[in-house]
Amino acid sequence: MKIVVAYKWAADPQEATVAADGQVDFSRAKSAVSDYDAVAITVARHLGDTHGADVVGLTVGGPEVATGLATKAALSRGLDALMVVADPALTAAGSTGTAQALATALAGVDDIAVLITGDSSVDVGAKLVPAVVGGLLGWPVLTEVTAVAIEPGALVVERAVSGGTEQLRIDGPAVLAVATDAATVKAPGMKDVLAAAKKPVQQLPADPVVADGTLRSTARLSGPARRGIQISTDDPAAAAAELVSALRADGVLIGGQQ
Amino acid sequence: MNLIIVAGTASVANLVTTAAQLDGETLAVVVGSRAVAERIATSGVDKVIWFGEPGDRPLEAFAPAVAQAATAARPQVVLGGRRPAERVLLGAAAAALRAPALIDVKEVTSQAGTVMVTHGVNGGIAVTTREFSGPVALMVDGGGVAPVQGAAPIEETPAATLPMQVTAVQVTAVTEVDLAAAPRVVGAGRGLRAREDLSIIEALAAALEAELACTRPLAEGLDWLPRDRYLGVSGQHIAPRLYVAVGVSGQLQHLAGVRSAETIVAINSDPKAPVLAEADYALVGDLYELVPAITAALEQP
Ligand SMILES: Cc1cc2nc3c(=O)[nH]c(=O)nc-3n(C[C@H](O)[C@H](O)[C@H](O)COP(=O)(O)OP(=O)(O)OC[C@H]3O[C@@H](n4cnc5c(N)ncnc54)[C@H](O)[C@@H]3O)c2cc1C
Ligand SMILES: Nc1ncnc2c1ncn2[C@@H]1O[C@H](COP(=O)(O)O)[C@@H](O)[C@H]1O
């Protein structure tokens, strides 16, 4: 029995720069295992330990996802082995293209009990890849999953829903996107880092995937221009009075226009 | 033909109006109760496909039914909302059609087989316009319930569903809030030292007649507030007249949900916090001093 966990090697857009023409430049941003995918790996590891199953990481992306830096960073978080699909064509793959590459890789693996994913990737944040992977494989998909147990032939899942939680029973393998607080992530220790260097990494070829349309233009984000007014806070009461009268003048307080 | 996906709620007015602007008729596939299907039939769509009562099946179990309907309809544009089940079903349609899927859609037009989509990228730090010749799946904020208009036929189709079943439900008895409709919102962040301290933020919100919201860590991880109260790329998106960010650093994942606010006030003790650069009024200081002072100032006649 295998537990597969999909993780993305990506950089935080907070560190990207946006040029005047709207081109996003990630070249100075450092990639890492996407924040919430570390939660997914932790959940998968616990599940693997409980059931004596292998925990296999799976990532797809540009050539950088197959570098030693990237694979060791993922393996040191407790995976037993890795599958990597690295191809320049996948660098800019969208949610569907990424999901196609993941589904193709999964189709070649026997005896998968569950595919665990993160809640959302740090750079795209669509919460869509798990849904499309499930659609391609014909597997059930649940998100916001807070707990998972494996029973013979079934998965027992708990998930957060608006206003509470739900327990569900799923027959057969499924794609489960775990909630961001489904597990507490520990930083890998020295032993984990050393062990990572010896774990197997399997590279798989990339198939062609759907393109994300034809790019016509890019632009910087345009929103309401901000006024950037600094209110001195040396005297909190005076600062408060100044803010309140400014907001009142703007008409955004109770009884303001509209 | 364009397709809108409805999952469990008729609050999809934005999907209906977006579809209405496109070339071709609008088909709504409805997963959920008959009441939802009936409400959608009077929202201005041309046809409704309904898969029957879900019973103890989660809405996500209907993914193959939605995929089948999408394959049969061969839509140019598929629209779905941002709620969890809506995303799963939109993903299932995208998979069936091998269609690209985009989020944060700001504008979509279609003409003679070509669809142009303008959408935010990377948490909304930039926007991109793309052209599609084949089908495309788009995630659009659902909005409220559409006004009553017309009466489309409802076709009840027996659905192939996935083997999944809800076995128990625990309700923590929180009422769902509509942050999107609030004219004023106060957002609390990790600048708060303890859960009890939320009371000073609540007092400010009361004085402003504002809804209380928060950053993701307060809702997930700390569990100080319910999950439907956090704002951001993966949380709620709001466009109030006033947003007051208190003890919020202003990472772009949070700002993505509040950028459309008319006026932003930020209160943060760190002069380098990114939120201050995105504010109309920036107050650098201790929230524990400033927030009670502002509340008091608001309560003065
Ligand atoms: C894929 C992904 C998706 C995400 N989606 C979201 C999302 O939708 N919404 C969201 O909110 N976050 C989201 N996040 C998390 C986001 O990146 C930030 O980590 C989060 O918004 C930070 O929350 P915060 O501002 O409350 O906490 P912090 O970043 O810890 O900031 C706390 C702030 O309080 C200030 N402070 C401390 N003490 C005081 C005081 N006494 N007085 C005044 N100020 C004080 C500090 O200077 C600091 O700026 C996401 C992250 C990822 C990776
Ligand atoms: N390139 C990728 N390789 C592997 N897994 C991915 C990739 N992109 C997204 N995922 C998985 O899908 C989840 C949701 O991503 P997204 O839809 O981009 O928000 C992530 O948390 C990962 O678990």
Side-chain angles (χ1 to χ4, degrees), chain A residues 14 96 123 126 159 165 167 169 180 216-217 219 226 229 233 250 257, chain B residues 60 87 99 122 129 131 167-168 170 220 241 252 261 280-282 284:
Chain A
Q14 186 84 29
T96 305
D123 55 344
R159 67 156 165 182
T165 57
Q167 271 80 48
R169 202 183 156 80
T180 60
R216 285 294 173 228
S217 65
R226 296 296 164 202
I229 299 166
T233 53
D250 289 348
Q257 67 269 60
Chain B
E60 289 87 346
R87 287 183 201 250
N122 299 127
T129 302
E131 186 181 313
T167 51
Q170 275 92 43
E220 291 178 7
R241 300 211 62 205
L252 72 91
D280 294 289
Y281 299 103
V284 178

PDB file of all heavy atoms in Angstrom, chain A residues 14 96 123 126 159 165 167 169 180 216-217 219 226 229 233 250 257, chain B residues 60 87 99 122 129 131 167-168 170 220 241 252 261 280-282 284:
ATOM      1  N   GLN A  14       5.191  37.069  -2.638  1.00  0.00           N
ATOM      2  CA  GLN A  14       5.563  38.225  -1.804  1.00  0.00           C
ATOM      3  C   GLN A  14       6.989  38.668  -2.147  1.00  0.00           C
ATOM      4  O   GLN A  14       7.323  39.836  -2.026  1.00  0.00           O
ATOM      5  CB  GLN A  14       5.489  37.800  -0.330  1.00  0.00           C
ATOM      6  CG  GLN A  14       5.706  38.899   0.676  1.00  0.00           C
ATOM      7  CD  GLN A  14       4.438  39.679   0.970  1.00  0.00           C
ATOM      8  OE1 GLN A  14       3.335  39.156   0.887  1.00  0.00           O
ATOM      9  NE2 GLN A  14       4.589  40.941   1.313  1.00  0.00           N
ATOM     10  N   THR A  96      -4.687  22.901 -14.848  1.00  0.00           N
ATOM     11  CA  THR A  96      -5.071  21.698 -15.586  1.00  0.00           C
ATOM     12  C   THR A  96      -3.840  20.973 -16.130  1.00  0.00           C
ATOM     13  O   THR A  96      -3.743  19.744 -16.035  1.00  0.00           O
ATOM     14  CB  THR A  96      -6.053  22.048 -16.724  1.00  0.00           C
ATOM     15  OG1 THR A  96      -7.170  22.746 -16.161  1.00  0.00           O
ATOM     16  CG2 THR A  96      -6.550  20.805 -17.440  1.00  0.00           C
ATOM     17  N   ASP A 123       2.302  29.995  -4.776  1.00  0.00           N
ATOM     18  CA  ASP A 123       2.440  30.946  -5.887  1.00  0.00           C
ATOM     19  C   ASP A 123       1.164  31.108  -6.704  1.00  0.00           C
ATOM     20  O   ASP A 123       0.879  32.185  -7.215  1.00  0.00           O
ATOM     21  CB  ASP A 123       3.613  30.550  -6.799  1.00  0.00           C
ATOM     22  CG  ASP A 123       3.501  29.136  -7.321  1.00  0.00           C
ATOM     23  OD1 ASP A 123       2.705  28.347  -6.770  1.00  0.00           O
ATOM     24  OD2 ASP A 123       4.215  28.807  -8.283  1.00  0.00           O
ATOM     25  N   ALA A 126      -4.744  28.366  -6.252  1.00  0.00           N
ATOM     26  CA  ALA A 126      -6.053  28.178  -6.878  1.00  0.00           C
ATOM     27  C   ALA A 126      -6.920  27.171  -6.135  1.00  0.00           C
ATOM     28  O   ALA A 126      -8.122  27.152  -6.295  1.00  0.00           O
ATOM     29  CB  ALA A 126      -5.875  27.726  -8.322  1.00  0.00           C
ATOM     30  N   ARG A 159     -13.689  16.444   7.732  1.00  0.00           N
ATOM     31  CA  ARG A 159     -13.327  17.713   7.103  1.00  0.00           C
ATOM     32  C   ARG A 159     -14.093  18.866   7.735  1.00  0.00           C
ATOM     33  O   ARG A 159     -15.178  18.690   8.290  1.00  0.00           O
ATOM     34  CB  ARG A 159     -13.614  17.655   5.607  1.00  0.00           C
ATOM     35  CG  ARG A 159     -15.087  17.574   5.296  1.00  0.00           C
ATOM     36  CD  ARG A 159     -15.354  18.099   3.916  1.00  0.00           C
ATOM     37  NE  ARG A 159     -16.686  17.718   3.449  1.00  0.00           N
ATOM     38  CZ  ARG A 159     -17.149  18.031   2.257  1.00  0.00           C
ATOM     39  NH1 ARG A 159     -16.372  18.686   1.417  1.00  0.00           N
ATOM     40  NH2 ARG A 159     -18.356  17.676   1.894  1.00  0.00           N
ATOM     41  N   THR A 165     -18.022  20.387  11.371  1.00  0.00           N
ATOM     42  CA  THR A 165     -17.213  19.358  10.722  1.00  0.00           C
ATOM     43  C   THR A 165     -18.126  18.230  10.248  1.00  0.00           C
ATOM     44  O   THR A 165     -19.246  18.084  10.729  1.00  0.00           O
ATOM     45  CB  THR A 165     -16.159  18.749  11.688  1.00  0.00           C
ATOM     46  OG1 THR A 165     -16.850  18.235  12.829  1.00  0.00           O
ATOM     47  CG2 THR A 165     -15.137  19.765  12.124  1.00  0.00           C
ATOM     48  N   GLN A 167     -18.002  13.922   9.054  1.00  0.00           N
ATOM     49  CA  GLN A 167     -17.280  12.660   8.859  1.00  0.00           C
ATOM     50  C   GLN A 167     -17.793  12.020   7.577  1.00  0.00           C
ATOM     51  O   GLN A 167     -19.003  12.031   7.330  1.00  0.00           O
ATOM     52  CB  GLN A 167     -17.522  11.680  10.010  1.00  0.00           C
ATOM     53  CG  GLN A 167     -16.552  11.808  11.168  1.00  0.00           C
ATOM     54  CD  GLN A 167     -16.948  12.951  12.063  1.00  0.00           C
ATOM     55  OE1 GLN A 167     -18.103  13.073  12.430  1.00  0.00           O
ATOM     56  NE2 GLN A 167     -15.987  13.788  12.408  1.00  0.00           N
ATOM     57  N   ARG A 169     -17.202   8.639   4.615  1.00  0.00           N
ATOM     58  CA  ARG A 169     -16.640   7.343   4.280  1.00  0.00           C
ATOM     59  C   ARG A 169     -16.519   7.286   2.764  1.00  0.00           C
ATOM     60  O   ARG A 169     -17.456   7.602   2.036  1.00  0.00           O
ATOM     61  CB  ARG A 169     -17.605   6.263   4.760  1.00  0.00           C
ATOM     62  CG  ARG A 169     -16.971   4.935   4.957  1.00  0.00           C
ATOM     63  CD  ARG A 169     -18.017   3.905   5.374  1.00  0.00           C
ATOM     64  NE  ARG A 169     -17.472   2.618   4.995  1.00  0.00           N
ATOM     65  CZ  ARG A 169     -16.571   1.983   5.728  1.00  0.00           C
ATOM     66  NH1 ARG A 169     -16.178   2.472   6.881  1.00  0.00           N
ATOM     67  NH2 ARG A 169     -16.063   0.831   5.311  1.00  0.00           N
ATOM     68  N   THR A 180      -5.029  23.561   6.380  1.00  0.00           N
ATOM     69  CA  THR A 180      -3.705  24.102   6.717  1.00  0.00           C
ATOM     70  C   THR A 180      -3.301  23.776   8.148  1.00  0.00           C
ATOM     71  O   THR A 180      -2.128  23.815   8.483  1.00  0.00           O
ATOM     72  CB  THR A 180      -3.695  25.627   6.540  1.00  0.00           C
ATOM     73  OG1 THR A 180      -4.675  26.189   7.416  1.00  0.00           O
ATOM     74  CG2 THR A 180      -4.033  26.001   5.112  1.00  0.00           C
ATOM     75  N   ARG A 216      -2.073  37.486 -24.215  1.00  0.00           N
ATOM     76  CA  ARG A 216      -2.284  38.699 -25.011  1.00  0.00           C
ATOM     77  C   ARG A 216      -1.662  39.920 -24.363  1.00  0.00           C
ATOM     78  O   ARG A 216      -1.090  40.763 -25.043  1.00  0.00           O
ATOM     79  CB  ARG A 216      -3.788  38.934 -25.221  1.00  0.00           C
ATOM     80  CG  ARG A 216      -4.398  37.994 -26.243  1.00  0.00           C
ATOM     81  CD  ARG A 216      -3.824  38.260 -27.642  1.00  0.00           C
ATOM     82  NE  ARG A 216      -4.273  37.262 -28.592  1.00  0.00           N
ATOM     83  CZ  ARG A 216      -3.474  36.617 -29.436  1.00  0.00           C
ATOM     84  NH1 ARG A 216      -2.173  36.875 -29.436  1.00  0.00           N
ATOM     85  NH2 ARG A 216      -3.957  35.726 -30.262  1.00  0.00           N
ATOM     86  N   SER A 217      -1.795  40.049 -23.074  1.00  0.00           N
ATOM     87  CA  SER A 217      -1.171  41.198 -22.416  1.00  0.00           C
ATOM     88  C   SER A 217      -1.031  40.953 -20.921  1.00  0.00           C
ATOM     89  O   SER A 217      -1.692  40.081 -20.360  1.00  0.00           O
ATOM     90  CB  SER A 217      -2.003  42.460 -22.648  1.00  0.00           C
ATOM     91  OG  SER A 217      -3.258  42.318 -22.021  1.00  0.00           O
ATOM     92  N   ALA A 219      -0.517  43.280 -17.143  1.00  0.00           N
ATOM     93  CA  ALA A 219      -0.604  44.631 -16.593  1.00  0.00           C
ATOM     94  C   ALA A 219      -0.369  44.556 -15.095  1.00  0.00           C
ATOM     95  O   ALA A 219      -0.526  43.505 -14.479  1.00  0.00           O
ATOM     96  CB  ALA A 219      -1.977  45.236 -16.876  1.00  0.00           C
ATOM     97  N   ARG A 226      -4.002  54.338  -3.237  1.00  0.00           N
ATOM     98  CA  ARG A 226      -3.979  54.579  -1.789  1.00  0.00           C
ATOM     99  C   ARG A 226      -3.344  55.917  -1.483  1.00  0.00           C
ATOM    100  O   ARG A 226      -2.398  56.329  -2.146  1.00  0.00           O
ATOM    101  CB  ARG A 226      -3.206  53.450  -1.093  1.00  0.00           C
ATOM    102  CG  ARG A 226      -3.857  52.077  -1.228  1.00  0.00           C
ATOM    103  CD  ARG A 226      -5.205  52.009  -0.559  1.00  0.00           C
ATOM    104  NE  ARG A 226      -5.955  50.823  -1.028  1.00  0.00           N
ATOM    105  CZ  ARG A 226      -7.269  50.726  -0.963  1.00  0.00           C
ATOM    106  NH1 ARG A 226      -7.996  51.714  -0.460  1.00  0.00           N
ATOM    107  NH2 ARG A 226      -7.863  49.646  -1.403  1.00  0.00           N
ATOM    108  N   ILE A 229      -1.545  58.262   3.909  1.00  0.00           N
ATOM    109  CA  ILE A 229      -1.445  59.339   4.904  1.00  0.00           C
ATOM    110  C   ILE A 229      -0.979  58.751   6.240  1.00  0.00           C
ATOM    111  O   ILE A 229      -1.585  57.824   6.777  1.00  0.00           O
ATOM    112  CB  ILE A 229      -2.819  60.029   5.081  1.00  0.00           C
ATOM    113  CG1 ILE A 229      -3.245  60.641   3.737  1.00  0.00           C
ATOM    114  CG2 ILE A 229      -2.771  61.064   6.196  1.00  0.00           C
ATOM    115  CD1 ILE A 229      -4.707  61.050   3.678  1.00  0.00           C
ATOM    116  N   THR A 233       1.341  58.982  15.968  1.00  0.00           N
ATOM    117  CA  THR A 233       0.701  58.274  17.084  1.00  0.00           C
ATOM    118  C   THR A 233       1.345  58.611  18.423  1.00  0.00           C
ATOM    119  O   THR A 233       1.162  57.878  19.391  1.00  0.00           O
ATOM    120  CB  THR A 233       0.779  56.757  16.851  1.00  0.00           C
ATOM    121  OG1 THR A 233       2.140  56.405  16.608  1.00  0.00           O
ATOM    122  CG2 THR A 233      -0.080  56.329  15.673  1.00  0.00           C
ATOM    123  N   ASP A 250     -14.351  61.630   4.935  1.00  0.00           N
ATOM    124  CA  ASP A 250     -14.404  60.745   3.754  1.00  0.00           C
ATOM    125  C   ASP A 250     -15.806  60.171   3.539  1.00  0.00           C
ATOM    126  O   ASP A 250     -16.088  59.591   2.489  1.00  0.00           O
ATOM    127  CB  ASP A 250     -13.442  59.563   3.907  1.00  0.00           C
ATOM    128  CG  ASP A 250     -11.981  59.980   3.806  1.00  0.00           C
ATOM    129  OD1 ASP A 250     -11.727  61.133   3.391  1.00  0.00           O
ATOM    130  OD2 ASP A 250     -11.103  59.159   4.136  1.00  0.00           O
ATOM    131  N   GLN A 257     -22.188  59.261   3.355  1.00  0.00           N
ATOM    132  CA  GLN A 257     -23.004  59.187   2.129  1.00  0.00           C
ATOM    133  C   GLN A 257     -23.067  57.764   1.583  1.00  0.00           C
ATOM    134  O   GLN A 257     -22.173  56.963   1.838  1.00  0.00           O
ATOM    135  CB  GLN A 257     -22.552  60.230   1.079  1.00  0.00           C
ATOM    136  CG  GLN A 257     -21.203  60.075   0.430  1.00  0.00           C
ATOM    137  CD  GLN A 257     -20.061  60.781   1.138  1.00  0.00           C
ATOM    138  OE1 GLN A 257     -19.790  60.483   2.286  1.00  0.00           O
ATOM    139  NE2 GLN A 257     -19.376  61.675   0.457  1.00  0.00           N
TER     140      GLN A 257
ATOM    141  N   GLU B  60     -19.574  16.706  -3.561  1.00  0.00           N
ATOM    142  CA  GLU B  60     -18.416  16.301  -4.372  1.00  0.00           C
ATOM    143  C   GLU B  60     -18.625  14.939  -5.033  1.00  0.00           C
ATOM    144  O   GLU B  60     -17.946  14.608  -6.001  1.00  0.00           O
ATOM    145  CB  GLU B  60     -17.150  16.237  -3.502  1.00  0.00           C
ATOM    146  CG  GLU B  60     -16.616  17.599  -3.061  1.00  0.00           C
ATOM    147  CD  GLU B  60     -17.254  18.122  -1.781  1.00  0.00           C
ATOM    148  OE1 GLU B  60     -18.300  17.569  -1.347  1.00  0.00           O
ATOM    149  OE2 GLU B  60     -16.712  19.084  -1.216  1.00  0.00           O
ATOM    150  N   ARG B  87     -15.415  24.368  -6.205  1.00  0.00           N
ATOM    151  CA  ARG B  87     -14.085  24.190  -6.803  1.00  0.00           C
ATOM    152  C   ARG B  87     -13.894  22.761  -7.294  1.00  0.00           C
ATOM    153  O   ARG B  87     -13.348  22.526  -8.366  1.00  0.00           O
ATOM    154  CB  ARG B  87     -12.985  24.507  -5.780  1.00  0.00           C
ATOM    155  CG  ARG B  87     -12.837  25.960  -5.475  1.00  0.00           C
ATOM    156  CD  ARG B  87     -11.673  26.168  -4.503  1.00  0.00           C
ATOM    157  NE  ARG B  87     -11.811  27.439  -3.828  1.00  0.00           N
ATOM    158  CZ  ARG B  87     -11.025  28.488  -4.031  1.00  0.00           C
ATOM    159  NH1 ARG B  87      -9.997  28.413  -4.842  1.00  0.00           N
ATOM    160  NH2 ARG B  87     -11.221  29.614  -3.391  1.00  0.00           N
ATOM    161  N   ALA B  99      -9.851  21.354 -20.189  1.00  0.00           N
ATOM    162  CA  ALA B  99      -9.879  22.804 -20.322  1.00  0.00           C
ATOM    163  C   ALA B  99      -8.956  23.453 -19.304  1.00  0.00           C
ATOM    164  O   ALA B  99      -8.912  23.026 -18.155  1.00  0.00           O
ATOM    165  CB  ALA B  99     -11.302  23.312 -20.104  1.00  0.00           C
ATOM    166  N   ASN B 122      -0.815  35.086  -9.336  1.00  0.00           N
ATOM    167  CA  ASN B 122       0.069  35.055  -8.174  1.00  0.00           C
ATOM    168  C   ASN B 122      -0.479  35.862  -7.001  1.00  0.00           C
ATOM    169  O   ASN B 122       0.204  36.748  -6.468  1.00  0.00           O
ATOM    170  CB  ASN B 122       1.481  35.533  -8.553  1.00  0.00           C
ATOM    171  CG  ASN B 122       2.113  34.649  -9.616  1.00  0.00           C
ATOM    172  OD1 ASN B 122       2.573  35.137 -10.636  1.00  0.00           O
ATOM    173  ND2 ASN B 122       2.116  33.338  -9.398  1.00  0.00           N
ATOM    174  N   THR B 129      -4.114  38.997 -19.554  1.00  0.00           N
ATOM    175  CA  THR B 129      -5.231  38.744 -20.457  1.00  0.00           C
ATOM    176  C   THR B 129      -4.833  37.625 -21.412  1.00  0.00           C
ATOM    177  O   THR B 129      -3.763  37.677 -22.023  1.00  0.00           O
ATOM    178  CB  THR B 129      -5.613  40.017 -21.239  1.00  0.00           C
ATOM    179  OG1 THR B 129      -5.944  41.036 -20.302  1.00  0.00           O
ATOM    180  CG2 THR B 129      -6.804  39.765 -22.164  1.00  0.00           C
ATOM    181  N   GLU B 131      -6.160  34.585 -24.406  1.00  0.00           N
ATOM    182  CA  GLU B 131      -7.159  34.257 -25.412  1.00  0.00           C
ATOM    183  C   GLU B 131      -7.254  32.741 -25.533  1.00  0.00           C
ATOM    184  O   GLU B 131      -6.233  32.051 -25.568  1.00  0.00           O
ATOM    185  CB  GLU B 131      -6.717  34.867 -26.747  1.00  0.00           C
ATOM    186  CG  GLU B 131      -7.735  34.715 -27.848  1.00  0.00           C
ATOM    187  CD  GLU B 131      -7.223  35.328 -29.155  1.00  0.00           C
ATOM    188  OE1 GLU B 131      -6.707  36.465 -29.123  1.00  0.00           O
ATOM    189  OE2 GLU B 131      -7.318  34.639 -30.178  1.00  0.00           O
ATOM    190  N   THR B 167     -21.246  10.422   7.041  1.00  0.00           N
ATOM    191  CA  THR B 167     -21.730   9.532   8.092  1.00  0.00           C
ATOM    192  C   THR B 167     -22.097  10.286   9.366  1.00  0.00           C
ATOM    193  O   THR B 167     -22.832   9.779  10.198  1.00  0.00           O
ATOM    194  CB  THR B 167     -20.678   8.461   8.420  1.00  0.00           C
ATOM    195  OG1 THR B 167     -19.427   9.118   8.671  1.00  0.00           O
ATOM    196  CG2 THR B 167     -20.506   7.488   7.264  1.00  0.00           C
ATOM    197  N   ALA B 168     -21.555  11.472   9.551  1.00  0.00           N
ATOM    198  CA  ALA B 168     -21.885  12.258  10.744  1.00  0.00           C
ATOM    199  C   ALA B 168     -21.562  13.724  10.494  1.00  0.00           C
ATOM    200  O   ALA B 168     -20.686  14.040   9.707  1.00  0.00           O
ATOM    201  CB  ALA B 168     -21.096  11.757  11.954  1.00  0.00           C
ATOM    202  N   GLN B 170     -21.034  17.441  12.724  1.00  0.00           N
ATOM    203  CA  GLN B 170     -21.019  18.192  13.987  1.00  0.00           C
ATOM    204  C   GLN B 170     -21.179  19.666  13.664  1.00  0.00           C
ATOM    205  O   GLN B 170     -20.405  20.211  12.885  1.00  0.00           O
ATOM    206  CB  GLN B 170     -19.689  18.030  14.738  1.00  0.00           C
ATOM    207  CG  GLN B 170     -19.616  16.803  15.611  1.00  0.00           C
ATOM    208  CD  GLN B 170     -19.029  15.646  14.835  1.00  0.00           C
ATOM    209  OE1 GLN B 170     -18.061  15.841  14.112  1.00  0.00           O
ATOM    210  NE2 GLN B 170     -19.604  14.471  14.969  1.00  0.00           N
ATOM    211  N   GLU B 220      -7.407  29.518  11.248  1.00  0.00           N
ATOM    212  CA  GLU B 220      -6.886  28.153  11.077  1.00  0.00           C
ATOM    213  C   GLU B 220      -5.585  28.082  11.847  1.00  0.00           C
ATOM    214  O   GLU B 220      -4.665  28.842  11.593  1.00  0.00           O
ATOM    215  CB  GLU B 220      -6.650  27.848   9.592  1.00  0.00           C
ATOM    216  CG  GLU B 220      -7.947  27.740   8.844  1.00  0.00           C
ATOM    217  CD  GLU B 220      -7.756  27.488   7.351  1.00  0.00           C
ATOM    218  OE1 GLU B 220      -6.619  27.264   6.910  1.00  0.00           O
ATOM    219  OE2 GLU B 220      -8.767  27.541   6.636  1.00  0.00           O
ATOM    220  N   ARG B 241     -16.640  49.839   2.125  1.00  0.00           N
ATOM    221  CA  ARG B 241     -16.234  51.242   2.072  1.00  0.00           C
ATOM    222  C   ARG B 241     -15.009  51.446   2.961  1.00  0.00           C
ATOM    223  O   ARG B 241     -14.158  52.269   2.658  1.00  0.00           O
ATOM    224  CB  ARG B 241     -17.393  52.128   2.535  1.00  0.00           C
ATOM    225  CG  ARG B 241     -18.613  51.931   1.636  1.00  0.00           C
ATOM    226  CD  ARG B 241     -19.438  53.166   1.531  1.00  0.00           C
ATOM    227  NE  ARG B 241     -18.659  54.255   0.934  1.00  0.00           N
ATOM    228  CZ  ARG B 241     -18.911  55.541   1.132  1.00  0.00           C
ATOM    229  NH1 ARG B 241     -19.898  55.902   1.910  1.00  0.00           N
ATOM    230  NH2 ARG B 241     -18.173  56.471   0.559  1.00  0.00           N
ATOM    231  N   LEU B 252       0.779  39.444   0.961  1.00  0.00           N
ATOM    232  CA  LEU B 252      -0.119  39.629  -0.174  1.00  0.00           C
ATOM    233  C   LEU B 252      -1.266  38.635  -0.181  1.00  0.00           C
ATOM    234  O   LEU B 252      -2.331  38.925  -0.711  1.00  0.00           O
ATOM    235  CB  LEU B 252       0.649  39.606  -1.495  1.00  0.00           C
ATOM    236  CG  LEU B 252       1.205  38.292  -1.985  1.00  0.00           C
ATOM    237  CD1 LEU B 252       0.193  37.606  -2.871  1.00  0.00           C
ATOM    238  CD2 LEU B 252       2.461  38.564  -2.767  1.00  0.00           C
ATOM    239  N   ALA B 261     -11.220  47.405  -1.174  1.00  0.00           N
ATOM    240  CA  ALA B 261     -11.841  48.304  -0.195  1.00  0.00           C
ATOM    241  C   ALA B 261     -11.627  49.745  -0.641  1.00  0.00           C
ATOM    242  O   ALA B 261     -10.585  50.087  -1.194  1.00  0.00           O
ATOM    243  CB  ALA B 261     -11.231  48.085   1.185  1.00  0.00           C
ATOM    244  N   ASP B 280      -4.634  53.829   3.242  1.00  0.00           N
ATOM    245  CA  ASP B 280      -4.920  55.246   3.081  1.00  0.00           C
ATOM    246  C   ASP B 280      -4.506  56.004   4.344  1.00  0.00           C
ATOM    247  O   ASP B 280      -4.017  57.118   4.270  1.00  0.00           O
ATOM    248  CB  ASP B 280      -6.419  55.438   2.825  1.00  0.00           C
ATOM    249  CG  ASP B 280      -6.822  54.830   1.493  1.00  0.00           C
ATOM    250  OD1 ASP B 280      -6.453  55.394   0.464  1.00  0.00           O
ATOM    251  OD2 ASP B 280      -7.471  53.763   1.499  1.00  0.00           O
ATOM    252  N   TYR B 281      -4.739  55.356   5.494  1.00  0.00           N
ATOM    253  CA  TYR B 281      -4.331  55.941   6.761  1.00  0.00           C
ATOM    254  C   TYR B 281      -3.479  54.914   7.499  1.00  0.00           C
ATOM    255  O   TYR B 281      -3.942  53.813   7.789  1.00  0.00           O
ATOM    256  CB  TYR B 281      -5.544  56.314   7.612  1.00  0.00           C
ATOM    257  CG  TYR B 281      -6.428  57.355   6.934  1.00  0.00           C
ATOM    258  CD1 TYR B 281      -7.619  56.982   6.319  1.00  0.00           C
ATOM    259  CD2 TYR B 281      -6.047  58.699   6.901  1.00  0.00           C
ATOM    260  CE1 TYR B 281      -8.413  57.925   5.686  1.00  0.00           C
ATOM    261  CE2 TYR B 281      -6.838  59.652   6.264  1.00  0.00           C
ATOM    262  CZ  TYR B 281      -8.024  59.260   5.655  1.00  0.00           C
ATOM    263  OH  TYR B 281      -8.797  60.189   5.034  1.00  0.00           O
ATOM    264  N   ALA B 282      -2.231  55.290   7.765  1.00  0.00           N
ATOM    265  CA  ALA B 282      -1.305  54.376   8.426  1.00  0.00           C
ATOM    266  C   ALA B 282      -1.003  54.890   9.821  1.00  0.00           C
ATOM    267  O   ALA B 282      -0.575  56.035   9.989  1.00  0.00           O
ATOM    268  CB  ALA B 282      -0.027  54.268   7.606  1.00  0.00           C
ATOM    269  N   VAL B 284       1.336  53.908  12.924  1.00  0.00           N
ATOM    270  CA  VAL B 284       2.394  53.047  13.440  1.00  0.00           C
ATOM    271  C   VAL B 284       2.361  53.138  14.948  1.00  0.00           C
ATOM    272  O   VAL B 284       2.620  54.201  15.514  1.00  0.00           O
ATOM    273  CB  VAL B 284       3.779  53.488  12.911  1.00  0.00           C
ATOM    274  CG1 VAL B 284       4.868  52.603  13.495  1.00  0.00           C
ATOM    275  CG2 VAL B 284       3.797  53.442  11.388  1.00  0.00           C
TER     276      VAL B 284
END
